[in-house]
Amino acid sequence: MTVMYQDDLKTVLYTEAEIAARVAELGARISRDYEGKSIALVGVLNGAVVFLADLMRAITVPVHVDMVAISSYGSYSSTSGVARIMKDLDNSVESQHVLIVEDIVDTGLTLNYLVDYMRARNPASVKVAAMLSKPSQHRVKVQVDYLGFEVPDEFVVGYGLDFAQRYRNLPCIAVLKPEIYAGPDTPPTL
Ligand code: PRP
């Protein structure tokens, strides 16, 4: 089978079918846990859009969907965790059951900031769904209530995750070849 961007990928971690099965499981668990309630899903732009689109269709209780965008807090060597909302919620989450939807928890700083940000808006509850988590990079403790998969300490792309804005539309989750992101003279190829 031909995989998109095949020449740029070191290995496929999770296939499209494995992802679909996991998202279905998460959706079923969420639907049970929130039975009789509705959920304010808050997706984090841009990476979470793919997971959000699949997850919301695997949830059988009513949902509202909102999106936020967070500025990056700078380089990966930063420990400040300084983040800024670039696009705020369109709707109030007061008294709502908020479920933040992320593609990946890397250092955990983005989610840490977002959970506090949501809690300050008087919701009924705040929980987190993340497709991926990279435990080796966590700098702060973040509770992920619904997790897809853990990934190793490698450059992971696909299913919404990018390198230089590419690979988000890769249907599987894969490790990028180091020469793609490390080589100064090796721009990614189509
Ligand atoms: C990624 C990802 C998370 C965040 C996780 O977003 O989507 O939001 O980084 O990293 P952290 O746990 O170290 O805070 P990014 O800033 O790359 O933007 P994107 O979603 O548009 O790709």
Side-chain angles (χ1 to χ4, degrees):
M1 194 181 82
T2 310
V3 177
M4 282 176 78
Y5 305 113
Q6 192 155 25
D7 291 347
D8 296 355
L9 307 179
K10 186 168 121 185
T11 177
V12 171
L13 293 176
Y14 298 103
T15 65
E16 193 173 354
E18 287 168 334
I19 294 168
R22 189 69 184 132
V23 172
E25 281 173 16
L26 294 178
R29 259 182 55 205
I30 291 168
S31 304
R32 277 198 304 275
D33 291 354
Y34 288 88
E35 199 179 339
K37 300 172 182 154
S38 63
I39 308 174
L41 294 174
V42 176
V44 186
L45 294 167
N46 292 321
V49 294
V50 180
F51 179 39
L52 176 66
D54 285 348
L55 185 66
M56 74 167 98
R57 287 174 293 172
I59 294 174
T60 54
V61 301
V63 301
H64 296 189
V65 178
D66 211 332
M67 307 296 289
V68 293
I70 311 274
S71 71
S72 136
Y73 37 77
S75 74
Y76 269 70
S77 58
S78 165
T79 51
S80 68
V82 174
R84 203 152 56 95
I85 298 278
M86 303 301 285
K87 186 230 162 275
D88 206 342
L89 294 165
D90 291 327
N91 303 294
S92 166
V93 292
E94 191 170 344
S95 307
Q96 306 281 309
H97 292 286
V98 172
L99 181 58
I100 299 170
V101 180
E102 259 289 24
D103 53 346
I104 187 165
V105 185
D106 203 337
T107 62
L109 294 171
T110 302
L111 260 184
N112 202 37
Y113 173 84
L114 256 186
V115 167
D116 285 350
Y117 187 86
M118 294 301 156
R119 282 198 181 129
R121 271 143 195 83
N122 301 316
S125 66
V126 179
K127 284 190 178 184
V128 171
M131 190 61 206
L132 301 176
S133 176
K134 198 185 272 185
S136 56
Q137 290 295 320
H138 290 189
R139 290 184 189 167
V140 287
K141 190 167 157 38
V142 176
Q143 165 140 1
V144 179
D145 303 279
Y146 305 99
L147 176 66
F149 303 112
E150 289 192 347
V151 289
D153 194 11
E154 300 205 70
F155 206 119
V156 177
V157 294
Y159 201 65
L161 282 94
D162 74 310
F163 166 63
Q165 301 303 328
R166 294 165 57 88
Y167 309 103
R168 292 194 199 273
N169 61 331
L170 181 66
C172 62
I173 294 167
V175 173
L176 199 59
K177 282 182 181 168
E179 57 262 40
I180 300 296
Y181 58 87
D185 302 317
T186 52
T189 54
L190 259 181

